[in-house]
Amino acid sequence: MLRMPSCLLKLTRVVLSHKPCALFILIFVFVSFAYIKLYSGVWENPKSRGPHHSSSAEISCAHYVPSSLHTAAGPSPSTANVFFVETSEQTTPSYLFSCSVESAARTHPGSRVMVLMRGLAKGNASLPKHWAFSLLSCFPNVQMQPLDLTELFSGTPLAQWYLHPQRHQEPHFLHVVSDACRIVLMWKFGGIYLDTDFIVLKNLQNLTNALGIQDDTELNGAFLSFKPKHKFMELCMQDFVQNYNGWVWGHQGPELLTRVFKKWCSLETIKNTSCKGVSALAPEVVYPIPWQDWKKLFEAVSASELHQLLKNTYAVHIWNKLSHRTKLEIPSQALLAQLYSQFCPATYTKMKQD
């Protein structure tokens, strides 16, 4: 029961001893006091109070993830890992980030899905209070770990490059570091690398020693799949250092992969081909929506159109650099909304709640 402070009791006696119209003042003061106390949580159980946004960070795995997935046997040591990398210090994953990891976890139940984030604390520190970490922790094959760039690049041609102090002043440095991480991960450990703006539709493990064609002139490294210590990745690391130019957008990423692949296959132009054990996959495999047509992701499509569009597709690149400012209606028949709904339903449920 709410108790009125002694100061208000005294005020009540004073007011009642004066003109009746002063009663209005008393009522106003009491109502204001009650409102302020209620708003500040005076009736809340103090033990239930937590850090800011803690309630949004608490996820019920049973609500978001089917028990069959939550109690699955987990990843097999013999299966290649799936890697995601966040090279910035941010620790507030977006819906798309969450969807990317969730869709990979669902389509690769026998693989470890490794989420390497530069902003995570080393050691046994708990994950930040954020709903995405809580949700993704529901999947037994998802592991979130800190990204130590110096350690990752050690023992490779990129070690000295990274330690050069002037590199950190370049305009595209974070993106260049991301380009570096993926080729080093593939060379050191092998497996599958995906950018955090992919939605995975099918298991990618049978696409080995492969990368995707994004258009008629260029390959893209948003998806990579290679065996460890592969010669192609070794050549990519060498080209990264020998032909380095961090001031030109894409020079260390898609342009690098295109340069090396052309030399590898003795090609003048890019085409859907496989040579010396490395495959350049047709655009519809992982880049079914060309970057020039990214707005199609926000246009409504029927179920039959969606099926036809994704018939030969393993994953869909969302081109977040271009699309991130566009509002997505949830729910809707937009292509992107349907992809969320089907391939990362836990993230989609959270989106609808928010």
Side-chain angles (χ1 to χ4, degrees):
M1 181 177 178
L2 179 65
R3 294 186 175 181
M4 188 182 297
S6 58
C7 61
L8 286 185
L9 290 173
K10 292 179 181 178
L11 177 62
T12 303
R13 296 190 189 100
V14 172
V15 169
L16 291 178
S17 65
H18 290 74
K19 297 179 180 179
C21 64
L23 183 61
F24 173 77
I25 299 175
L26 175 63
I27 295 173
F28 176 80
V29 170
F30 177 79
V31 171
S32 299
F33 164 75
Y35 177 80
I36 292 171
K37 287 294 186 180
L38 176 62
Y39 194 78
S40 62
V42 72
W43 293 313
E44 178 186 350
N45 182 355
K47 294 182 180 180
S48 70
R49 295 175 189 170
H52 189 52
H53 296 313
S54 62
S55 61
S56 65
E58 296 171 1
I59 294 292
S60 169
C61 291
H63 177 69
Y64 286 92
V65 183
S67 58
S68 59
L69 276 174
H70 185 57
T71 59
S76 166
S78 61
T79 308
N81 294 334
V82 179
F83 291 98
F84 291 93
V85 173
E86 176 55 65
T87 55
S88 76
E89 297 285 349
Q90 74 91 14
T91 54
T92 54
S94 65
Y95 294 118
L96 182 54
F97 185 114
S98 175
C99 181
S100 297
V101 178
E102 179 188 345
S103 63
R106 288 179 181 276
T107 50
H108 298 78
S111 303
R112 276 190 298 269
V113 179
M114 307 292 293
V115 184
L116 308 179
M117 300 184 72
R118 196 175 173 189
L120 293 184
K122 296 180 182 178
N124 296 322
S126 59
L127 291 170
K129 294 288 186 182
H130 189 274
W131 65 265
F133 292 114
S134 182
L135 187 153
L136 295 174
S137 296
C138 293
F139 294 88
N141 57 332
V142 172
Q143 296 181 19
M144 286 162 277
Q145 296 184 1
L147 173 63
D148 186 327
L149 293 172
T150 303
E151 181 182 345
L152 176 62
F153 296 143
S154 66
T156 75
L158 281 74
Q160 286 300 115
W161 161 80
Y162 179 67
L163 294 176
H164 197 294
Q166 292 183 351
R167 303 292 184 221
H168 299 244
Q169 308 304 318
E170 294 170 353
H172 311 303
F173 183 68
L174 277 181
H175 298 282
V176 171
V177 169
S178 179
D179 293 331
C181 286
R182 66 194 71 189
I183 61 177
V184 171
L185 283 169
M186 291 297 94
W187 184 77
K188 274 192 169 184
F189 308 107
I192 296 165
Y193 167 83
L194 291 167
D195 274 0
T196 55
D197 58 349
F198 256 109
I199 298 180
V200 186
L201 319 185
K202 302 172 186 174
N203 191 289
L204 299 161
Q205 293 289 2
N206 64 328
L207 304 178
T208 307
N209 299 331
L211 63 172
I213 298 173
Q214 75 169 21
D215 55 40
D216 294 337
T217 62
E218 210 164 45
L219 299 168
N220 194 305
F223 157 81
L224 295 171
S225 178
F226 280 87
K227 295 289 186 181
K229 304 300 189 291
H230 196 282
K231 183 66 176 179
F232 184 84
M233 283 292 112
E234 183 180 343
L235 293 175
C236 287
M237 290 192 299
Q238 292 173 5
D239 185 284
F240 190 99
V241 175
Q242 293 169 3
N243 299 307
Y244 184 76
N245 187 341
W247 294 83
V248 176
W249 173 262
H251 185 81
Q252 301 303 116
E255 290 182 20
L256 180 151
L257 295 167
T258 303
R259 290 193 301 271
V260 175
F261 187 77
K262 284 181 177 179
K263 292 177 184 177
W264 180 267
C265 296
S266 301
L267 293 173
E268 292 294 326
T269 58
I270 291 297
K271 59 182 179 180
N272 177 18
T273 186
S274 179
C275 61
K276 293 193 282 186
V278 177
S279 300
L281 305 174
E284 61 264 24
V285 179
V286 287
Y287 305 112
I289 308 295
W291 66 266
Q292 300 92 332
D293 299 330
W294 65 268
K295 290 184 179 180
K296 287 184 177 179
L297 291 161
F298 298 87
E299 297 174 1
V301 295
S302 66
S304 59
E305 288 175 316
L306 179 64
H307 175 75
Q308 187 61 34
L309 176 65
L310 306 179
K311 190 175 176 181
N312 300 312
T313 298
Y314 282 72
V316 181
H317 195 221
I318 308 303
W319 308 109
N320 187 54
K321 183 173 176 59
L322 299 169
S323 65
H324 71 281
R325 294 187 184 278
T326 305
K327 184 179 179 181
L328 176 66
E329 295 293 336
I330 295 292
S332 73
Q333 290 302 109
L335 170 58
L336 183 53
Q338 294 195 57
L339 292 176
Y340 273 109
S341 174
Q342 293 185 40
F343 300 103
C344 55
T347 302
Y348 184 71
T349 299
K350 186 68 173 67
M351 292 173 72
K352 287 193 295 183
Q353 288 182 347
D354 292 345

